């Protein structure tokens, strides 16, 4: 494992550093008079995505946007056709949306925001963010003001955790071409930092509602298992449940340690909460464990279902689906998990 290059790697100082970053960011954001911190986060997301993807969004053909958006919707409705749909989406995404980063200096107008949303919709990676962007009504110039500060300062707080990202992407620059996660895999450092900051802001936003819920659930990704091929977890309505087949497995340890919580294994972010019923939406508060680039989408996916979330980050990526040559067991900060509960 010492020889593996990870796109990000956390240490025990991470949670203190991201808290300091969030304090300073939210203090700076007060000058723009957003109605609350959730609108502030939406504004920053819009600004960062416009900065990173605006030039591509402006050039995106409307027919390609519609084709990719329809395929993404079809994939969610008919998961049994995933392989066929993903193959087609991968080719279209690589051909029309995957372009080298080019700094975008175009003005963010209402019309251009709609074009940006079209791009995000076409990728299929921002489904749960888009409703917040469509309902955004604040001055769009303030999105760019936030983004300018964020771009200038994020590496000072969080750069050490993504210091290997450039090397990782250079080493793997041909990976995932013609695959449906090509945009996701080649994410820019600013998008990592945006999700780190976003998770901290969301944890603050939804902490009080989370604490009021009578049921608490820890949602673990499949990469937390010590051996995904031999895992004997049983399927349940909200995810797979550990059957305690391996005492060395992190899922085993977490399920035993937090026996007052429900613990579920979810194979992919897209399948989370598929079995949720009204009683879950009324009673459940969740702690989601995920890798960095899924943080904001996962948090808003949960709140869109009226389930207040808290988040703990994986210390590093661990699965071969997106990131590595082979699966390795993922780990988290147990201290942070305790604090979250």
């Amino acid at each position: 494992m010492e020889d593996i290059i990870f796109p990000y790697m956390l240490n025990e100082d991470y949670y203190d550093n991201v808290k300091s970053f969030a304090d300073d960011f939210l203090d700076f954001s007060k000058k723009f008079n957003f109605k609350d911190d959730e609108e502030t986060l939406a504004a920053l997301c819009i600004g960062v995505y416009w900065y990173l993807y605006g030039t591509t969004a402006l050039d995106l053909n409307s027919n390609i946007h519609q084709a990719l958006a329809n395929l993404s919707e079809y994939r969610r409705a008919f998961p049994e056709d995933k392989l066929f749909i993903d193959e087609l989406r991968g080719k279209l995404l690589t051909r029309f949306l995957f372009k080298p980063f080019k700094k975008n200096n175009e003005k963010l107008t209402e019309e251009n925001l709609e074009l940006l949303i079209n791009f995000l919709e076409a990728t299929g990676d921002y489904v749960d963010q888009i409703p917040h962007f469509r309902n955004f009504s604040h001055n769009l110039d303030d999105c760019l003001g936030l983004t300018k500060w964020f771009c200038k300062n994020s590496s000072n707080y969080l750069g050490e955790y993504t210091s290997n990202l450039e090397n990782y992407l250079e080493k793997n620059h041909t990976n995932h071409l013609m695959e449906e996660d090509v945009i996701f895999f080649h994410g820019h450092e600013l998008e990592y930092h945006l999700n780190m900051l976003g998770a901290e802001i969301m944890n603050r936003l939804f902490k009080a509602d989370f604490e009021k819920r009578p049921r608490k659930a820890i949602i673990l990704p499949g990469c937390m298992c010590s051996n995904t091929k031999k895992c004997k977890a049983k399927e349940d309505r909200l995810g797979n449940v550990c059957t305690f087949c391996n005492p060395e497995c992190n899922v085993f340890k977490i399920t035993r340690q937090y026996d007052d919580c429900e613990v579920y294994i979810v194979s992919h972010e897209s399948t989370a909460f598929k079995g949720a019923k009204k009683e879950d939406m009324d009673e459940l508060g969740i702690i989601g464990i995920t890798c960095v680039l899924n943080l904001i989408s996962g948090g808003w996916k949960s709140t869109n279902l009226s389930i207040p979330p808290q988040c703990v980050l994986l210390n590093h990526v661990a699965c071969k689906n997106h990131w590595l040559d082979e699966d390795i067991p993922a780990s988290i900060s147990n201290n942070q998990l305790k604090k979250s509960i």
Side-chain angles (χ1 to χ4, degrees):
M1 183 163 153
E2 291 78 10
D3 298 329
I4 300 175
I5 300 175
F6 297 102
Y8 78 90
M9 173 74 82
L10 306 187
N11 57 33
E12 285 301 317
D13 295 329
Y14 166 77
Y15 288 97
D16 289 334
N17 288 338
V18 79
K19 283 180 172 63
S20 296
F21 187 29
D23 289 342
D24 290 348
F25 170 76
L26 293 172
D27 185 60
F28 172 77
S29 73
K30 291 176 183 177
K31 65 184 287 187
F32 299 108
N33 296 315
F34 293 106
K35 65 182 179 183
D36 55 30
D37 289 348
E38 189 164 16
E39 184 179 63
T40 304
L41 177 58
L44 179 62
C45 289
I46 289 171
V48 171
Y49 296 150
W50 178 244
Y51 177 81
L52 293 177
Y53 301 120
T55 54
T56 305
L58 289 171
D59 292 337
L60 180 60
N61 180 282
S62 60
N63 292 326
I64 296 299
H65 154 245
Q66 198 58 60
L68 282 163
N70 289 343
L71 285 169
S72 295
E73 186 63 33
Y74 187 90
R75 182 184 184 272
R76 288 188 289 274
F78 302 98
E80 64 272 16
D81 294 333
K82 175 182 181 300
L83 291 179
F84 166 74
I85 297 170
D86 283 353
E87 182 179 358
L88 181 54
R89 288 185 66 244
K91 292 176 180 178
L92 292 173
L93 287 165
T94 304
R95 172 67 178 84
F96 294 103
L97 273 69
F98 179 56
K99 299 180 180 181
F101 168 67
K102 183 179 179 181
K103 184 178 178 181
N104 177 34
N105 293 313
E106 291 290 328
K107 184 175 176 60
L108 181 57
T109 63
E110 292 288 343
E111 181 181 359
N112 286 344
L113 175 58
E114 189 61 36
L115 294 176
L116 176 64
I117 290 173
N118 288 348
F119 168 87
L120 299 173
E121 190 175 47
T123 69
D125 296 329
Y126 303 90
V127 173
D128 298 291
Q129 288 97 313
I130 287 174
H132 297 267
F133 302 162
R134 291 199 186 281
N135 294 327
F136 189 80
S137 58
H138 198 85
N139 188 330
L140 292 174
D141 287 340
D142 291 348
C143 299
L144 303 184
L146 280 183
T147 300
K148 184 176 180 180
W149 186 94
F150 174 82
C151 292
K152 181 180 178 181
N153 291 282
S154 70
S155 63
N156 295 332
Y157 294 89
L158 304 175
E160 67 177 289
Y161 308 112
T162 52
S163 60
N164 288 328
L165 178 60
E166 185 176 351
N167 189 17
Y168 174 85
L169 291 176
E170 182 178 345
K171 180 182 177 183
N172 299 285
H173 69 279
T174 61
N175 285 18
H176 298 262
L177 296 180
M178 300 298 170
E179 297 182 20
E180 57 86 24
D181 63 346
V182 61
I183 307 294
F184 179 80
F185 177 84
H186 290 88
H188 192 279
E189 182 179 43
L190 288 174
E191 200 157 357
Y192 282 81
H193 295 170
L194 173 64
N195 277 271
M196 291 173 175
L197 175 61
E200 173 61 23
I201 292 172
M202 284 183 166
N203 281 349
R204 299 181 186 194
L205 277 167
F206 306 124
K207 182 68 172 177
D209 287 341
F210 170 83
E211 290 179 339
K212 293 175 186 176
R213 291 301 178 98
R215 293 165 53 202
K216 304 294 192 298
I218 302 172
I219 310 297
L220 301 174
C223 61
M224 290 289 290
C225 298
S226 62
N227 189 323
T228 54
K229 292 180 180 178
K230 295 183 179 180
C231 178
K232 296 181 180 179
K234 291 185 177 179
E235 187 175 350
D236 196 80
R237 181 166 52 82
L238 295 176
N240 291 342
V241 177
C242 181
T243 58
F244 307 106
C245 66
N246 183 355
E248 300 303 313
C249 178
N250 284 330
V251 175
F252 179 109
K253 294 173 183 177
I254 289 171
T255 307
R256 282 279 194 239
Q257 182 175 357
Y258 299 98
D259 56 4
D260 55 341
C261 294
E262 302 167 37
V263 181
Y264 302 104
I265 309 164
V266 175
S267 60
H268 192 273
E269 183 267 337
S270 64
T271 65
F273 315 121
K274 272 200 167 182
K277 296 181 177 180
K278 186 180 185 304
E279 64 195 64
D280 302 310
M281 298 175 192
D282 293 339
E283 300 172 359
L284 203 60
I286 67 149
I287 298 178
I289 315 294
T290 186
C291 57
V292 166
L293 292 183
N294 286 318
L295 291 170
I296 292 175
S297 61
W300 268 330
K301 180 171 187 173
S302 180
T303 60
N304 290 343
L305 291 170
S306 300
I307 300 175
Q310 295 291 283
C311 179
V312 177
L313 283 64
L314 292 176
N315 288 334
H316 53 75
V317 297
C319 73
K320 68 179 181 181
N321 286 344
H322 295 300
W323 306 109
L324 304 177
D325 293 333
E326 295 295 334
D327 292 330
I328 61 174
S331 63
I332 60 171
S333 167
N334 196 43
N335 288 335
Q336 187 62 26
L337 182 56
K338 285 180 181 178
K339 290 179 183 178
S340 298
I341 294 174

